[in-house]
């Protein structure tokens, strides 16, 4: 039986050498404290498990999600309450799947490995579940998109992503929605990159730009963190294909980038309709800018495209045909996913991918991660 409490607390952040408890780390603590004092970035919450996604609703509710990558996270999707508690969302049943019970529970009825959550502005929270614990083999029937009615806190629709779309090796990474709420666009960051288009009414989905160079790894790019190449213990370099995704406020343009890459692409959403040929899509593809290694993308309500920069613990923004720095902060260890409040405040998760036992032998299965936020008007880029 699952003995996880219905609520758990996001941890408050402790500062100073006393909190660290080790004299040898005092200088690091002071440096981080100075960075915090100078940074427009505010820590919202700290978690005991790896966080990736964040969603802020029009009425100010905050949600986060925890994928099952290096640990068997006890909560998949949670609402972050005002007192810091994490409330399993939409209920305790949906979060009760466990790796050890993989053969007991129907994977289509539970959250298996939630990667992303997005509020669509139409009263729904959508949960993207690639159904691949450990970012490995897809469990048959597990890839899905789940619609939750925010007014009732009930699941109202489950859209399975079939095996001819969620191929073995696919990893459903992030999603954006058309302004009319009828279409979802998903990056496949697995073995073979693509944009997956989902008709939210019929549930039908298909792959676009499947295997096209724009959605694949740039072999000339090396992902670095802390000034050194990011490597597995056996020397393998991670190969991240199509990952970050954003949509223009008018819904006419989709932006995306491979994480192991430095090129931001755009395509008219009209070219992502069913029936358009891949040749026409490729012909309509545009190179927006040469950027940097980036994970999350976000188009703000003000029309500014933000990018995370994991190698630099930073956030940048698109200005014309190039990017410029917005902020850098040591707490942004692998800035991952964005969301935005109605007041324009930008939220970003720090998922600490480089600190997991994927890349740090001896690291614990569960790692501390954070949710942070900044107000664009308060940022003064260099």
């Amino acid at each position: 039986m699952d003995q996880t409490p219905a609520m758990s607390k996001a941890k408050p952040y402790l500062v100073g050498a006393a909190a660290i408890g080790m004299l040898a780390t005092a200088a690091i603590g002071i440096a981080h404290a100075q960075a915090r004092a100078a940074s427009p970035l505010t820590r919202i919450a700290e978690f005991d498990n790896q966080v990736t996604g964040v969603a802020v609703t029009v009425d100010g509710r905050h949600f986060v999600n925890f994928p099952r990558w290096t640990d068997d996270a006890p909560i998949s999707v949670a609402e972050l309450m005002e007192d810091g508690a994490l409330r399993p969302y939409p209920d305790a049943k949906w979060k009760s799947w466990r790796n050890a019970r993989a053969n007991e529970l129907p994977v289509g009825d539970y959250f298996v490995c939630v990667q992303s959550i997005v509020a669509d502005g139409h009263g729904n929270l959508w949960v993207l579940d690639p159904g691949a614990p450990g970012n490995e083999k897809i469990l048959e029937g597990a890839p899905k998109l789940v619609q939750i009615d925010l007014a009732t806190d009930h699941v109202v629709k489950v859209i399975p992503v079939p095996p001819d779309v969620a191929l073995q090796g696919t990893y459903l990474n992030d999603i954006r929605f058309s302004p009319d709420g009828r279409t979802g666009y998903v990056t496949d960051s697995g073995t073979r990159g693509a944009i997956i288009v989902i008709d939210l009414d019929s549930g039908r989905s298909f792959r676009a730009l499947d295997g096209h160079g724009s959605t694949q790894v740039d072999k000339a790019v090396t992902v670095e963190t802390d000034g050194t190449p990011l490597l597995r213990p056996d020397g393998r370099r991670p190969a991240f294909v199509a990952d970050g995704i954003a949509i223009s406020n008018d819904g006419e343009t989709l932006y995306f980038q491979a994480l192991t890459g430095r090129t931001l692409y755009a395509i008219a959403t009209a070219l992502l309709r069913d029936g358009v040929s891949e040749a026409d899509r490729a012909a309509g593809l545009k190179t927006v800018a040469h950027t940097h290694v980036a994970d999350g993308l976000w188009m703000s309500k003000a029309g500014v495209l933000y990018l995370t920069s994991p190698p630099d613990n930073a956030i940048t923004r698109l200005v014309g045909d190039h990017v410029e720095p917005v902020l850098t902060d040591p707490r942004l260890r692998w800035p991952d996913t964005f969301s935005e409040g109605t007041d324009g405040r930008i939220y970003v998760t720090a998922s600490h991918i480089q600190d997991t036992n994927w890349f740090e032998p001896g690291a614990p299965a569960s790692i501390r991660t954070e949710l942070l936020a900044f107000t664009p008007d308060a940022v003064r880029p260099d």
Side-chain angles (χ1 to χ4, degrees), residues 4 44 69 102 118 138 188 192 205 212 251 279 295 321 362:
T4 304
I44 304 301
W69 282 356
V118 177
I138 286 178
D188 177 355
R192 191 173 79 198
S205 56
H212 186 271
D295 191 334
D321 61 356

Side-chain angles (χ1 to χ4, degrees), residues 89-151:
Y89 196 78
D91 53 42
K93 175 261 183 186
W94 273 90
K95 64 100 177 176
S96 60
W97 192 91
R98 289 292 183 277
N99 287 329
R101 303 180 65 193
N103 295 326
E104 301 174 23
L105 300 175
V107 292
D109 299 333
Y110 297 84
F111 294 139
V112 172
C113 179
V114 173
Q115 175 63 23
S116 177
I117 52 175
V118 177
D120 65 2
H122 295 279
N124 304 295
L125 182 73
W126 292 88
V127 180
L128 187 63
D129 184 353
N135 205 337
E136 296 175 352
K137 185 178 184 294
I138 286 178
L139 302 184
E140 185 178 355
K144 56 189 172 291
L145 181 60
V146 179
Q147 179 185 8
I148 304 171
D149 184 335
L150 289 163

Side-chain angles (χ1 to χ4, degrees), residues 67-379:
R68 286 186 171 91
W69 282 356
T70 60
D71 68 352
D72 195 4
I75 301 177
S76 292
V77 180
E79 182 171 7
L80 181 60
M81 310 304 287
E82 290 186 3
D83 64 355
L86 293 174
R87 180 169 76 94
Y89 196 78
D91 53 42
K93 175 261 183 186
W94 273 90
K95 64 100 177 176
S96 60
W97 192 91
R98 289 292 183 277
N99 287 329
R101 303 180 65 193
N103 295 326
E104 301 174 23
L105 300 175
V107 292
D109 299 333
Y110 297 84
F111 294 139
V112 172
C113 179
V114 173
Q115 175 63 23
S116 177
I117 52 175
V118 177
D120 65 2
H122 295 279
N124 304 295
L125 182 73
W126 292 88
V127 180
L128 187 63
D129 184 353
N135 205 337
E136 296 175 352
K137 185 178 184 294
I138 286 178
L139 302 184
E140 185 178 355
K144 56 189 172 291
L145 181 60
V146 179
Q147 179 185 8
I148 304 171
D149 184 335
L150 289 163
T152 65
D153 298 329
H154 289 157
V155 171
V156 294
K157 183 183 289 187
V158 177
I159 301 176
V161 183
D164 63 336
V165 177
L167 312 173
Q168 192 57 254
T170 284
Y171 194 81
L172 307 176
N173 190 283
D174 206 353
I175 187 168
R176 294 294 180 264
F177 297 96
S178 60
D180 63 8
R182 300 185 65 182
T183 307
Y185 305 95
V186 177
T187 44
D188 177 355
S189 65
T191 304
R192 191 173 79 198
I195 303 298
I196 294 174
V197 183
I198 304 177
D199 184 313
L200 302 178
D201 295 326
S202 69
R204 185 178 180 276
S205 56
F206 61 90
R207 299 174 67 86
L209 297 173
D210 184 13
H212 186 271
S214 63
T215 59
Q216 307 308 300
V217 164
D218 182 343
K219 294 181 180 180
V221 172
T222 297
V223 177
E224 295 186 349
T225 58
D226 302 319
T228 60
L230 185 65
L231 300 174
R232 295 272 194 167
D234 61 4
R236 284 179 296 159
R237 296 186 179 190
F240 303 112
V241 294
D243 193 300
I245 189 169
I247 192 167
S248 62
N249 290 323
D250 61 10
E252 294 184 0
T253 305
L254 191 75
Y255 300 87
F256 63 93
Q257 179 172 324
L259 200 159
T260 305
R262 294 196 183 98
T263 305
L264 177 67
Y265 293 98
I267 188 170
T269 52
L271 292 173
L272 295 173
R273 294 172 183 160
D274 195 10
V276 177
S277 72
E278 284 292 275
D280 286 343
R281 289 176 182 140
L285 198 65
K286 296 180 180 179
T287 297
V288 178
H290 295 290
T291 59
H292 48 74
V293 170
D295 191 334
L297 306 180
W298 183 260
M299 180 63 73
S300 74
K301 296 179 179 67
V304 177
L305 183 67
Y306 290 94
L307 305 86
T308 69
S309 181
D312 306 312
N313 302 327
I315 294 168
T316 66
R317 62 186 173 194
L318 181 68
V319 179
D321 61 356
H322 66 281
V323 295
E324 66 176 24
V326 173
L327 61 87
T328 301
D329 192 296
R331 294 170 294 174
L332 281 173
R333 290 192 65 77
W334 204 283
D336 198 310
T337 304
F338 292 110
S339 189
E340 184 175 358
T342 54
D343 59 355
R345 195 180 199 196
I346 305 292
Y347 294 78
V348 59
T349 56
S351 63
H352 288 244
I353 287 176
Q354 69 268 53
D355 299 324
T356 66
N357 56 29
W358 282 351
F359 303 105
E360 286 292 333
S366 300
I367 60 171
R368 292 284 184 89
T369 56
E370 297 85 30
L371 173 64
L372 306 111
F374 67 95
T375 301
D377 288 346
V379 175

